Amino acid sequence: MHKLDIVQVGDPVLRQVARELSKEEILSPEIQNLIQDMKTIMRAAPGVGLAAPQIGRPIQLAVIEDMDHTHLTAEQLLERERYKVPFHVIINPRIYLEEGETAEFMEGCLSVPSFVGVVPRAKSVRVVCLNERAEQVVIEARGWHARILQHEIDHLNATLYIDRAFLPTIMTEESYVKLWKGKNIKEILDNLGSIP
Ligand code: ZN
């Protein structure tokens, strides 16, 4: 499996609510191998998360890893609250968003290639799920990790970031790099006519 196996927007599998996995299924060689494949595909893409529907499997499983920050400045890491997140697997997740302040940042998706857009997300979340050993875990996350969790769990519930983005801010990566990279999000919202 490789990057080309990532399902693109327009495929109905991305609009299907994924089914839960039983503990027996999670521990089966098939799912264990799938997790390894997803890790490889996510790293090759490269991406910081990959949900099973994105490789055509409508099951409640996603992998996350956010370790490479070499393309970001210290200031960008700070404003995004982006800290290193080691590889982990979420299965049958329930997500609880902390009420209150949201954060707006540019977001993209491997299933919506070449585009990005501004998406408001809860700054802090709690996720109750199973891990790859079928053990229950509780993940408390803030900042970018919270954003990744919301994005991936949305995939399991048939939702894409483009459903939550401020529509006028959807743009090609090329425009983003040419016009907006390094600018603050408020400036993007002001200039594209989308006031949240
Ligand atoms: Zn995505």
Side-chain angles (χ1 to χ4, degrees), residues 143-167:
W144 210 257
H145 187 204
R147 176 172 294 269
I148 299 167
L149 285 162
Q150 289 169 81
H151 180 114
E152 299 311 328
I153 293 170
D154 271 352
H155 273 301
L156 305 181
N157 293 302
T159 299
L160 299 174
Y161 88 84
I162 48 177
D163 306 340
R164 300 192 187 277
F166 298 124
L167 272 182

Side-chain angles (χ1 to χ4, degrees), residues 77-91:
L77 291 172
L78 197 66
E79 70 168 357
R80 286 164 178 70
E81 297 187 80
R82 190 164 175 173
Y83 46 86
K84 288 192 176 182
V85 177
F87 178 81
H88 67 99
V89 178
I90 58 172
I91 299 169

Side-chain angles (χ1 to χ4, degrees), residues 4 11 17 37 40 43 45 62-63 66 71 73 76-77 86 89 101 111 114 119 129 142 156 165 173 182:
L4 295 177
D11 190 313
V17 175
D37 285 345
T40 304
R43 286 178 174 175
V63 296
D66 186 20
H71 58 297
T73 65
Q76 289 171 324
L77 291 172
V89 178
E101 259 192 306
S111 294
S114 310
V119 185
C129 63
R142 281 191 61 76
L156 305 181
E173 281 176 339

